[in-house]
């Protein structure tokens, strides 16, 4: 059955979880939210566009929906904030099956429920081709306490949560299997080959870790790893006016599924979609926060002047020092 | 020159007006806003999609940008709220000229400046085809005071601001002239025929009127006219559980440019993009608020039961009573 806009709005209205911050949700000109007194507001928006951020023939719709909201929740986590409400704008072409949209919503709303975030509104439209989604998440932090990218000073520790490179490794493996199955399908029909997509997983947005870092005053600057460590550490350096030095051996690399290998260093340095937190701290940080591993991977330096603080120095596996260039996530630009 | 994503972000960052509610704007994981104590938050999102909401060969880019933000500000106005910040997510295909994007931004930011609303963030992406924009506007109202669609009671007056049908009439005229010039251009080259698009205008979002209605407690329910009077009055009836009766002769119809005619009744009843306010009131409402004409066009009734309050009754020009069906704005579905 093709996508029907009215049905979609009814479905969202029926399924959307309620939340304590929501005075009025879907069904008026605006949503009305109530944030506790003495709090600042956080707002973040993120596009999810077919053939740019996902491929319908590679990714299960639940994964696309979950990733869509993960991006927003992860941005709130990176400020040390509490998510309060989400808004979904969704444009879908007439030839997209209703089932795809239902499964996309299921993925998104399952995560919303896990974090008790109400889907409070948004917009729907018929698109000319494919699927375009824009997620907005509104959150809050105690007044003046938001952890910005700009608070790092020279001589602080650089930390990451969890393990890096897992999403990029999964995507690379998925791309390989899809290409192989495409070659095979020219010779024979392969039922079940679509299921390879089911293995693509995503880390939980680190909302609890972010809030604990804020409450304990542990992080001087923070960002979430959506574009890759090299790019996102560059943003902290740029906004804080510091340099950085990270040790290759210290970077916590994700395990490759059930295999006994870890992902390649390149994927941990430059792979995207990790949604771990990267932060700086002048204090000693415990190795586990809210059940999540926290690893010190380097330290901030005085800005090297010439390139106004964006220079990164990497110590590679051979023990040599080298400049680490930002080589962030380019989605499907190199893969499609 | 084709669209360049990085340049766009820099351009927005440079041009975006600052606002008193903005603690941290573009350049972090989230924007940080500070709303006065004792206020509720308002959030609205609206898509603007090429070939659905506008046509690049019909509408000047400044108009598209202005309309994009007008939709959001008008939603805030319809709650009696004050706009605090806007967020733009913009996906643009590689073949869209940079100049188009610059002129689109100019239209949007000119309106933002008029209303002192900072552009506080958003997202940019490469789109596969055409232009997709999603505008988010965050506003505030004194706690518990937002004017909802659901507050109307039977026996109240129904009012509109300004004049109706002007945007639909302009669009119809534009469509006619474009079709004629297309026919002519098959015979001869017509320089300047593109300029017809420049005549398409939009009303100001009625933010000041909405705030005065809220302060004086004049409106029991309110909505903005984006989809057309018949559709939007239907929403108030549905959410409030009332019926409505409007008088055709009382509906303030827009003038047709410099001509001495008014737009057809059908356009005033069903045309979209008016961005006037439609509200109900148990009190006597002055004929002018914040310099804008306010007209009583009918009254609310007890819901007629059978169709749970969505029945509309129109008295047509011949003096007969007839049921008025919602026949809202279908954008280009009937025009392209």
């Amino acid at each position: 059955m093709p996508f029907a806009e009215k049905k979609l709005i009814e479905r969202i209205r029926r399924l959307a979880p309620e939340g304590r911050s929501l005075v009025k949700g879907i069904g008026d000109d605006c949503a009305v939210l109530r944030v506790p007194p003495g709090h600042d507001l956080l707002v973040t928006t993120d596009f999810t566009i077919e053939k740019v951020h996902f491929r319908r023939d590679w990714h299960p719709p639940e994964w696309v929906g979950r990733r869509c909201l993960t991006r927003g929740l992860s941005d709130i986590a990176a400020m040390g904030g509490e998510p309060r409400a989400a808004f979904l704008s969704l444009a879908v072409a007439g030839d997209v099956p209703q089932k795809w949209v239902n499964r996309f919503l299921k993925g998104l709303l399952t995560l919303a429920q896990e974090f008790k975030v109400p889907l409070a509104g948004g917009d729907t439209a018929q698109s000319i081709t494919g699927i375009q989604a824009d997620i907005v998440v509104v959150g809050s932090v105690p007044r003046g306490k938001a952890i910005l990218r700009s608070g790092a000073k020279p001589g602080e520790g650089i930390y990451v949560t969890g393990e890096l490179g897992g999403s990029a490794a999964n995507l690379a493996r998925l791309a390989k299997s899809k290409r192989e199955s495409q070659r095979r399908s020219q010779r024979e029909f392969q039922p079940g080959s679509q299921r390879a997509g089911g293995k693509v997983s995503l880390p939980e947005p680190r909302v609890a870790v972010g809030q604990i870092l804020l409450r304990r005053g542990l992080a001087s600057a923070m960002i979430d790893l959506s574009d890759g460590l090299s790019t996102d550490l560059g943003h902290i350096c740029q906004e804080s006016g510091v340099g950085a030095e990270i040790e290759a051996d210290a970077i916590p690399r994700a395990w490759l599924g059930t295999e006994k290998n870890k992902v390649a260093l390149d994927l941990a340095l430059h792979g995207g979609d990790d949604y771990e937190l990267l932060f700086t701290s002048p204090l000693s940080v415990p190795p586990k926060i809210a059940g999540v591993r926290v690893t010190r991977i380097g330290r901030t330096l005085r800005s090297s002047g010439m390139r106004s603080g964006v220079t990164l120095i990497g110590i590679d596996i051979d023990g040599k020092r080298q400049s680490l260039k930002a080589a962030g996530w380019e989605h499907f630009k190199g893969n499609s």
Side-chain angles (χ1 to χ4, degrees), chain A:
Chain A
M1 212 178 73
F3 165 73
E5 203 178 323
K6 269 206 179 159
K7 272 200 173 170
L8 173 63
I9 298 169
E10 282 162 23
R11 194 177 176 86
I12 292 175
R13 209 168 169 170
R14 204 172 60 241
L15 295 177
E18 290 183 8
R20 65 213 173 293
S21 302
L22 197 58
V23 180
K24 175 78 201 176
I26 297 165
D28 220 299
D29 294 86
C30 297
V32 185
L33 301 179
R34 192 162 293 164
V35 161
H39 276 64
D40 284 338
L41 271 184
L42 305 171
V43 184
T44 173
T45 82
D46 284 288
F47 260 139
T48 296
I49 295 179
E50 186 178 352
K51 290 186 186 167
V52 177
H53 304 100
F54 72 95
R55 287 175 62 154
R56 230 188 303 164
D57 56 342
W58 285 19
H59 296 100
E62 291 86 355
W63 182 90
V64 181
R66 189 176 182 92
R67 180 184 176 279
C68 182
L69 182 58
T70 294
R71 291 179 69 78
L73 293 177
S74 183
D75 281 330
I76 299 289
M79 312 296 281
E82 179 167 353
R84 298 275 172 188
F87 301 81
L88 173 68
S89 292
L90 184 61
V92 181
D95 61 354
V96 175
Q98 182 68 45
K99 199 175 170 188
W100 193 98
V101 178
N102 293 349
R103 290 178 57 193
F104 166 89
L105 280 178
K106 192 182 159 197
L108 192 150
L109 292 172
T110 301
L111 185 64
Q113 217 117 32
E114 282 169 38
F115 283 84
K116 295 186 175 56
V117 175
L119 188 63
D123 196 10
T124 59
Q126 200 86 19
S127 107
I128 295 304
T129 176
I131 298 142
Q132 296 93 41
D134 190 34
I135 193 86
V136 179
V137 182
V138 175
S140 69
V141 279
R143 189 174 175 141
K145 298 288 186 198
I147 305 171
L148 306 180
R149 296 177 181 176
S150 52
K153 291 192 170 49
E156 297 182 340
I158 300 173
Y159 298 83
V160 286
T161 60
E163 285 91 30
L164 308 187
S167 288
N170 274 329
L171 183 63
R173 199 161 41 174
L174 181 64
K176 199 179 158 211
S177 89
K178 287 284 171 183
R179 284 195 195 102
E180 277 168 9
S181 79
Q182 271 163 15
R183 273 195 293 273
R184 274 201 306 274
S185 71
Q186 289 168 356
R187 297 194 303 268
E188 52 179 314
F189 177 66
Q190 288 276 330
S193 63
Q194 286 291 332
R195 285 196 208 141
K199 286 179 195 157
V200 185
S201 61
L202 280 172
E204 294 283 302
R206 302 301 188 192
V207 172
V209 180
Q211 288 181 315
I212 290 169
L213 290 172
L214 182 144
R215 265 204 303 276
R216 297 197 197 156
L218 282 174
S220 54
M222 187 149 65
I223 192 169
D224 75 316
L225 290 173
S226 53
D227 293 332
L229 176 60
S230 61
T231 301
D232 292 322
L233 181 52
H235 290 314
I236 284 191
C237 289
Q238 172 108 46
E239 297 292 330
S240 296
V242 298
E245 180 175 80
I246 54 174
E247 285 174 55
D249 289 346
I251 295 169
R253 288 188 264 160
W255 292 97
L256 274 170
T258 52
E259 297 157 51
K260 285 179 183 166
N261 293 318
K262 290 189 170 179
V263 304
L265 179 63
D266 260 10
L267 294 181
L269 284 172
H270 307 300
D273 272 347
D274 275 329
Y275 304 113
E276 299 293 350
L277 296 176
L278 172 72
F279 62 96
T280 56
S281 182
L283 305 169
S284 164
V285 176
K288 211 162 216 180
I289 297 178
V292 179
R293 177 181 170 190
V294 178
T295 311
R296 183 180 166 125
I297 59 167
R299 63 193 181 103
T300 54
L301 306 169
R302 264 179 214 292
S303 169
S304 57
M306 290 277 284
R307 295 176 57 201
S308 65
V310 292
T311 312
L312 306 179
I313 301 167
I315 304 176
D316 73 3
I317 289 172
D318 303 328
K320 284 182 284 186
R321 298 172 73 90
Q322 60 183 33
S323 173
L324 178 68
K325 282 200 184 123
W329 200 223
E330 292 289 310
H331 303 292
F332 295 110
K333 281 174 197 168
N335 296 319
S336 59

